[in-house]
Amino acid sequence: MKKTGFIFDLDGVIVDTAKYHYLAWRKLANELGFEFTQEQNEQFKGVSRKRCLEILLEIGDIKASQEQFNKWLVEKNEDYLSLIEKMDESEILPDVLKVLQFLKNHSMPIALGSASKNARPILEKVKLMDYFDVIVDGTHVAKAKPDPEVFLIAAKQLGVPPEDCVVFEDAVAGIEAANNAGMLSIGIGEEKVLSEAKFVFTNFTEMDDNFLNRLLE
Ligand code: G6P
Ligand code: MG
């Protein structure tokens, strides 16, 4: 497939931070007097912090002033940061290192393309910074996935045309963004959820060298 640029989402692809995002949002929902389920949390994957809060307030049927809204945004992030404070390399998802190392061994450029404003500190905590040639995160983008902006900026910074890029994503919005960017989308998760992806793997353990070689040839 002759791919020459590789872009990874962070949350749910490299590390399982989705569970910490969920716990922080659920705490806020409970404080506001309603339940927030794991199923509802699916819609939050790949979606910006601000948009997540808008959806949460819609679920709870809660109206907020701008000031209150901003206060809850800060509160959720503080709770999230305290949940990830002690994160280390042990939280890297299975065989992520195998794939990153395979790409490094083949001198392939690697980018991060995440909606999270906490991406850099997380990569530092799990000691993966050195693998990434380019980092595009929530502090660099104006338009959220499924808009392709985050991946197009990453491709540009890698110096690789979008059609030669591969995106690894766990979110429906992220797969859509990759497809909208004209890139090869690889879903990490459930086939029935990520049906728009070109290929889907439950996790990186299922992605063998044979498949990785095919991406490069
Ligand atoms: C990722 C996660 C989302 C999260 C977003 C913003 O895309 O999948 O669930 O809301 O990042 O994260 P942040 O760390 O900036 O709150
Ligand atoms: Mg994700």
Side-chain angles (χ1 to χ4, degrees):
M1 294 180 249
K2 284 232 178 303
K3 299 300 175 193
T4 53
F6 294 82
I7 307 173
F8 290 76
D9 173 48
L10 176 70
D11 297 294
V13 169
I14 291 177
V15 283
D16 184 16
T17 34
K19 62 181 182 229
Y20 300 126
H21 280 296
Y22 171 64
L23 290 174
W25 286 124
R26 191 181 65 181
K27 178 169 174 279
L28 180 60
N30 292 349
E31 278 168 21
L32 298 177
F34 63 96
E35 281 307 319
F36 175 56
T37 67
Q38 299 249 31
E39 288 69 42
Q40 288 167 327
N41 188 56
E42 273 307 307
Q43 325 166 48
F44 283 40
K45 292 185 177 173
V47 174
S48 73
R49 193 183 310 164
K50 184 168 165 282
R51 183 66 198 130
C52 288
L53 181 55
E54 286 167 2
I55 303 171
L56 193 82
L57 296 181
E58 279 164 26
I59 293 171
D61 197 17
I62 287 175
K63 304 263 174 297
S65 65
Q66 195 58 49
E67 195 190 346
Q68 185 65 73
F69 187 93
N70 291 338
K71 214 177 124 244
W72 285 331
L73 271 187
V74 171
E75 187 184 322
K76 183 270 169 180
N77 195 49
E78 282 172 355
D79 287 333
Y80 176 67
L81 289 178
S82 66
L83 287 166
I84 62 167
E85 199 191 330
K86 293 197 174 68
M87 224 175 144
D88 63 18
E89 307 94 288
S90 66
E91 300 215 32
I92 299 172
L93 286 166
D95 279 351
V96 166
L97 276 168
K98 173 191 82 177
V99 176
L100 289 173
Q101 199 53 55
F102 175 93
L103 296 170
K104 275 280 165 244
N105 293 345
H106 289 81
S107 307
M108 288 294 142
I110 303 174
L112 190 86
S114 166
S116 174
K117 294 184 173 163
N118 295 303
R120 271 178 185 273
I122 291 173
L123 283 184
E124 277 162 12
K125 279 178 200 294
V126 300
K127 301 198 170 58
L128 285 180
M129 280 296 258
D130 290 348
Y131 282 95
F132 292 88
D133 302 290
V134 161
I135 292 175
V136 185
D137 63 27
T139 65
H140 304 112
V141 293
K143 294 178 228 151
K145 300 169 186 177
D147 190 283
E149 185 185 28
V150 60
F151 297 140
L152 290 174
I153 296 174
K156 195 165 186 194
Q157 291 189 12
L158 288 176
V160 177
E163 62 271 25
D164 295 339
C165 288
V166 175
V167 173
F168 301 97
E169 255 293 348
D170 70 311
V172 174
I175 293 293
E176 260 184 76
N179 292 341
N180 289 338
M183 301 178 179
L184 179 79
S185 53
I186 301 186
I188 304 296
E190 287 182 50
E191 182 121 37
K192 65 174 194 301
V193 179
L194 305 174
S195 56
E196 296 301 315
K198 182 82 181 160
F199 299 98
V200 181
F201 295 87
T202 312
N203 54 51
F204 285 107
T205 307
E206 294 193 344
M207 200 181 290
D208 58 15
D209 278 11
N210 193 20
F211 178 78
L212 291 168
N213 278 314
R214 268 172 58 208
L215 292 176
L216 307 188
E217 282 159 6

